[in-house]
Amino acid sequence: MKSRGGSAADWLLLDMEHAPNDLSMMADQLRASKAVGGPEPVVRPPVSEPVMTKRLLDVGARSLMFPMIQSAEMAADVVRWTRYPPHGIRGHSGTIRANRYGRSTDYLMSYEADLCIIVQVETPEAIAAIPEIAAVEGIDAIFIGPGDLASSMGKVGNVGDAEVQEAIRRATAACQTAGIAVGILGYGAEAARSYFDAGINFVAIAGDAWLLARAMDDMIKQVG
């Protein structure tokens, strides 16, 4: 695999839900990713709603991951937020970073083909709705949120619980049956490999703060 941006990662998550990123910081991170030819940046908004979706699209995000989607109706709303009328409700501006400040004259005809819309399922109710969610036109992938799934099952902080892992297996199988790509968060080589072996298509294998903390702890132990 050809190295991209200093590593062979296929994608990275620019997170606004659990990280202290605001819109201007997100724009800078999208610019930085493009400048180094890095992996595809997937932006997760702080909450699934139309105004922030519009603003993220305007600053150039094209792959979006929406948290806590519970039903096909919510998934259909997400798709509408990302499309201009008559297929959606996205507001229009002619001079945005996404269309090179008006220089990309074909943007309105081509933008939809560049979108990748990912929705997160994070509760047993959402997992049960996967067949209907996957059938929504415009949904490209489903991402399992194991932490919130565990919490919603009364297993806070215990993703490894047998019932939680069984729910993840059911979600994976439902996505495979529906013919839609499925992803998950699985930090560390052991967790990531186990999820890939289970047929999950894309895995968040680490985070910047997670990596830094572990590298620092390891360094202290070696020096200590």
Side-chain angles (χ1 to χ4, degrees):
M1 183 181 295
K2 184 179 179 181
S3 178
R4 293 179 294 278
S7 76
D10 294 306
W11 66 288
L12 60 87
L13 181 68
L14 304 180
D15 191 21
M16 300 179 76
E17 184 185 19
H18 293 294
N21 285 312
D22 61 24
L23 186 66
S24 62
M25 294 166 67
M26 198 56 56
D28 287 340
Q29 290 174 43
L30 288 167
R31 290 187 187 96
S33 178
K34 182 177 181 180
V36 300
E40 175 67 18
V42 177
V43 179
R44 178 164 64 180
V47 64
S48 295
E49 60 90 31
V51 175
M52 182 56 74
T53 299
K54 171 181 62 180
R55 301 190 76 188
L56 288 170
L57 290 168
D58 283 356
V59 299
R62 63 181 187 178
S63 297
L64 295 169
M65 181 185 292
F66 291 89
M68 201 58 72
I69 300 304
Q70 293 283 81
S71 66
E73 291 75 18
M74 292 181 70
D77 284 342
V78 161
V79 174
R80 283 192 289 272
W81 301 338
T82 65
R83 269 69 171 176
Y84 291 115
H87 304 296
I89 62 167
R90 180 183 173 186
H92 179 259
S93 172
T95 52
I96 52 178
R97 180 174 179 269
N99 68 9
R100 297 180 61 244
Y101 308 102
R103 296 183 181 95
S104 297
T105 56
D106 66 340
Y107 177 75
L108 294 176
M109 284 69 74
S110 64
Y111 79 96
E112 193 171 329
D114 290 332
L115 294 178
C116 177
I117 305 303
I118 306 166
V119 293
Q120 290 188 218
V121 293
E122 305 178 74
T123 67
E125 294 78 12
I127 289 174
I130 283 176
E132 293 77 24
I133 292 172
V136 174
E137 186 176 357
I139 298 300
D140 298 296
I142 289 174
F143 190 87
I144 303 164
D148 283 315
L149 176 60
S151 296
S152 71
M153 296 175 66
K155 314 282 185 178
V156 180
N158 191 5
V159 171
D161 178 86
E163 292 183 14
V164 177
Q165 287 297 307
E166 175 57 30
I168 291 171
R169 283 190 287 271
R170 290 199 308 273
T172 303
C175 290
Q176 291 169 338
T177 298
I180 193 167
V182 56
I184 197 168
L185 184 147
Y187 278 10
E190 183 178 351
R193 287 195 190 103
S194 70
Y195 287 135
F196 280 126
D197 289 344
I200 292 178
N201 304 104
F202 60 106
V203 181
I205 63 174
D208 52 1
W210 184 87
L211 287 168
L212 180 59
R214 276 148 187 77
M216 191 68 223
D217 290 349
D218 184 61
M219 178 64 73
I220 294 296
K221 288 177 183 177
Q222 292 183 48
V223 173

